[in-house]
Amino acid sequence: MSDLPSHRLDPRMLRVWYVSDVIGIVVVAALAALAVVAWAIVRHLGGDVFWVYLVAGVVEAVCVGDLLVSPRVEMATWRYDVTPTDVDLYHGVFVKKRVLVPLVRVQHVETKQGPILRAHGLASVTVSTAGESFEIPGLAADEADALRDRVAELARLAKEDV
């Protein structure tokens, strides 16, 4: 197998993943609190609430563990390159995934910014083929725009060569 791609994500993407995970943990905690309240009502009617506390605690522990491990590992492994023939992507936490997207197969390329990415000055680039879409999640907004334009131009040139 050839060398790994050389380009990495913007370091601010680590904060974006942390913020997204914290929002997820808060949502899970709110749902767990609602479940505890519901079971407290059932308990008042004669049910046992121990299992609800146990499940809610385990779910929160898993979410916090994911928050502590996944963003740093994902940031350390995410790499990409764009060559005249392919978009090369490498990423993964537990399962490492390497994808080569032939530019001749690219149908369109887009940039996206949700509110959290926008707040950090980042954007993602999505490369779409007829069957799948592949995302590079955290680039500086101007770098994402330049990458989108470069991939679109290389895809156009690759199709002209066929």
Side-chain angles (χ1 to χ4, degrees), residues 11-35:
R12 294 174 288 180
M13 190 60 191
L14 189 59
R15 278 191 306 235
V16 168
W17 279 326
Y18 280 134
V19 168
S20 297
D21 283 355
V22 166
I23 290 170
I25 288 172
V26 168
V27 168
V28 168
L31 292 173
L34 287 174

Side-chain angles (χ1 to χ4, degrees), residues 10 17 20 35 57 64 76 156:
D10 190 290
W17 279 326
S20 297
V64 170
R156 184 185 64 74

Side-chain angles (χ1 to χ4, degrees), residues 148-160:
R148 178 200 60 216
D149 295 344
R150 181 168 177 240
V151 170
E153 179 64 19
L154 287 171
R156 184 185 64 74
L157 292 172
K159 288 178 183 172
E160 285 178 0

Side-chain angles (χ1 to χ4, degrees), residues 39-98:
W39 273 100
I41 293 169
V42 170
R43 182 175 171 222
H44 180 69
L45 299 174
D48 185 16
V49 77
F50 168 76
W51 295 107
V52 175
Y53 288 126
L54 181 64
V55 169
V58 167
V59 168
E60 282 301 310
V62 168
C63 288
V64 170
D66 180 59
L67 170 72
L68 296 174
V69 175
S70 292
R72 287 198 179 277
V73 174
E74 190 74 29
M75 186 59 141
T77 59
W78 236 113
R79 298 167 185 248
Y80 70 94
D81 267 334
V82 176
T83 69
T85 58
D86 302 301
V87 176
D88 188 359
L89 307 172
Y90 178 79
H91 60 95
V93 174
F94 297 109
V95 176
K96 306 297 185 206
K97 186 174 183 179
R98 180 117 188 231

